[in-house]
Amino acid sequence: MEIEEIQNQIQVFIEEVNSTLKKKSTGQKSSTTSVSKVKKPVRKPQTNKTTRRLSTKTQIDNTTYFKRLIPYNQKQALIEINSHKHDSIIERVEKELASIPKTQQKDNIQKSTIYAHYFHGTTDWYITDIAEDRNMLFGYVILNGDTQNAEAGYISIEELTQQRSHEFTEEYGVTELDFFFEKDILENILYKQYPNYYSNPKQSKQVTKATSKKTSTKMVKKVVDVTMVNRYSTQYRLIRRFYNLVRLHQTTSFRKIQLIYLAFQKAAIDRSVRKTDAEADLFTKINTKVVNLFDTVNPTKSDADIEFTDKKLFRQIEEYVKGQKINYAVTLLKSYISLQGLKPDTKKVERLIKRIDNAIIKGRIKKTNRLYKQLIDAKSALENYLEKPTVKIEPEQIGLSLPARSLCTNRVKCTGLRKDGKLHKGYRFINGGAVIKVKKKAV
């Protein structure tokens, strides 16, 4: 091939390349290339960031513990208000209620942690744990501000949360769950609520530390003589009732004052309390106070703030109230009597036998107790029943119904008692109303 011909071919190739480059730079489409469509970006529809608020009723229905443990009337009030201010409260209280232990705390009740608090007037329920399978709460209950008779025990959830009529709530108010309660140890809560009736836990710890260092110092504890009785007399029950009324230093309703006044007057009229009784003098002093109190509030039928200023009489009343205790043998024998003529559950019988054994071992019932023999006989009968639980426990006459032969039990025929009810010379009354002859003193 000649040089001239090669140059011509090179020139043609260069012109084709230049032509192609020119088309691309001007944006012209080549007939040999395929054009693909460019997709435009798809815009997503904008969503509204502000969500719609759920109603209070819906929020409560979505909870587990709040809807179950809140009292009915309190829940209905929240639903009717339907305020967004309560949304955070419902959420927070639900978490607090969910944290309540499902098993009973092992600590002493005073040392137990309180997780929830219900209140109604002067009544408080302090909750330590929940027994879900039994639909019960466990806690410490103070009814009507009566701290002396406050106690720990199971509380029915149904009774706390049940619906109350409009008439009831108008007169007595609504039982409420405390939304702003902060959990704490029970002894701390009780001291803050009732500083006059519960000791300061911090001070008691300090006293314990101080006494532990001074081993030579002996603590003197006031001993109250306790009299064992078979039952509480009418005058004792009335005096104790008055004591519980005045010791709280709280506002007392007119109706409560009226009832205690009527009780004292009826006891005097039907001779439930006699001048010959050992407590007659104390009863008379208290009766005078009751009459004066009722006379003060009766014209206006108003409530009263009671402040008992006679400290000497108050101490006398307190010593009398705390100085009597029911003979435990009577309590045990009453439990035994309730099983007579029946085929009781063997576990119930075993528990009663254990109670009798513990009472004797711990010295609560001694051989000098007048019912000791009857109690041992009752225990023997219970043990015989356990051997043959198909045979009923036979009823029998026991010491509670047997009269003491050494005492005069028939006042009409008693030689020391006249028909007009007065004593002959040389005779005197003893406890129980019996009459005995006075022994002459040797000169």
Side-chain angles (χ1 to χ4, degrees), residues 99-368:
S99 69
I100 298 176
K102 308 305 182 289
T103 56
Q104 192 167 334
Q105 298 183 43
K106 296 180 180 180
D107 294 328
N108 180 285
I109 185 65
Q110 295 288 335
K111 302 291 184 182
S112 297
T113 302
I114 304 301
Y115 287 83
H117 170 226
Y118 292 87
F119 61 92
H120 183 176
T122 57
T123 297
D124 294 284
W125 295 268
Y126 296 105
I127 308 304
T128 61
D129 49 82
I130 179 173
E132 292 186 296
D133 56 333
R134 298 167 59 185
N135 200 33
M136 302 282 276
L137 296 168
F138 188 85
Y140 192 77
V141 184
I142 302 177
L143 296 175
N144 301 318
D146 188 357
T147 55
Q148 186 181 17
N149 295 315
E151 59 182 356
Y154 282 98
I155 306 154
S156 170
I157 295 176
E158 185 178 356
E159 289 183 9
L160 270 180
T161 60
Q162 67 180 324
Q163 182 178 0
R164 301 288 187 181
S165 65
H166 178 71
E167 293 76 11
F168 180 89
T169 55
E170 281 289 319
E171 184 171 358
Y172 301 105
V174 180
T175 300
E176 296 184 55
L177 175 65
D178 190 348
F179 289 161
F180 302 97
F181 175 76
E182 295 181 2
K183 69 177 182 178
D184 197 356
I185 305 299
L186 177 61
E187 61 180 359
N188 296 336
I189 295 171
L190 294 178
Y191 175 69
K192 292 176 185 176
Q193 189 72 14
Y194 304 95
N196 295 329
Y197 302 102
Y198 292 95
S199 59
N200 187 343
K202 295 181 180 179
Q203 289 182 356
S204 61
K205 290 178 182 178
Q206 292 174 358
V207 170
T208 305
K209 291 179 180 178
T211 52
S212 62
K213 292 179 180 179
K214 299 179 181 180
T215 54
S216 59
T217 306
K218 293 182 179 180
M219 295 184 66
V220 179
K221 188 177 181 180
K222 186 178 179 181
V223 178
V224 179
D225 293 332
V226 178
T227 303
M228 301 299 293
V229 296
N230 298 322
R231 63 180 180 84
Y232 291 134
S233 62
T234 302
Q235 56 266 34
Y236 174 83
R237 294 177 185 276
L238 289 173
I239 293 172
R240 184 178 64 177
R241 184 173 171 183
F242 177 77
Y243 169 72
N244 289 331
L245 181 73
V246 299
R247 72 180 179 82
L248 298 175
H249 305 289
Q250 292 182 350
T251 303
T252 305
S253 65
F254 167 76
R255 180 58 178 164
K256 189 176 288 188
I257 296 171
Q258 183 186 40
L259 289 174
I260 196 170
Y261 165 78
L262 294 174
F264 268 78
Q265 303 317 307
K266 288 177 181 178
I269 291 172
D270 63 14
R271 293 190 176 182
S272 299
V273 181
R274 293 175 174 268
K275 290 183 178 180
T276 54
D277 292 335
E279 305 87 0
D281 183 52
L282 180 60
F283 182 87
T284 303
K285 291 179 182 179
I286 297 172
N287 194 16
T288 303
K289 298 286 185 182
V290 172
V291 172
N292 292 337
L293 177 61
F294 180 70
D295 186 51
T296 303
V297 299
N298 187 42
T300 57
K301 305 290 189 297
S302 60
D303 299 345
D305 294 325
I306 300 175
E307 184 68 30
F308 201 75
T309 56
D310 193 339
K311 303 298 182 184
K312 184 178 179 181
L313 179 58
F314 182 80
R315 284 194 298 270
Q316 189 179 354
I317 295 171
E318 189 172 40
E319 289 177 3
Y320 172 73
V321 170
K322 294 182 178 180
Q324 288 194 21
K325 195 173 182 181
I326 292 291
N327 185 352
Y328 193 49
V330 175
T331 304
L332 293 173
L333 284 172
K334 283 184 177 180
S335 299
Y336 169 64
I337 291 171
S338 66
L339 301 180
Q340 291 181 349
L342 303 173
K343 296 179 184 177
D345 182 48
T346 54
K347 291 184 179 179
K348 191 173 184 179
V349 175
E350 289 171 355
R351 284 197 298 268
L352 182 54
I353 293 174
K354 188 175 181 180
R355 286 171 60 195
I356 295 173
D357 288 337
N358 289 337
I360 295 173
I361 292 170
K362 294 179 181 180
R364 295 186 67 181
I365 299 175
K366 300 179 181 179
K367 291 184 178 181
T368 54

Side-chain angles (χ1 to χ4, degrees), residues 1-11:
M1 184 178 295
E2 293 182 358
I3 297 174
E4 188 175 338
E5 191 173 351
I6 294 171
Q7 288 178 345
N8 290 334
Q9 290 181 358
I10 293 172
Q11 186 66 32

Side-chain angles (χ1 to χ4, degrees), residues 7-20:
Q7 288 178 345
N8 290 334
Q9 290 181 358
I10 293 172
Q11 186 66 32
V12 171
F13 175 76
I14 292 171
E15 287 177 0
E16 287 179 357
V17 170
N18 289 335
S19 176
T20 304

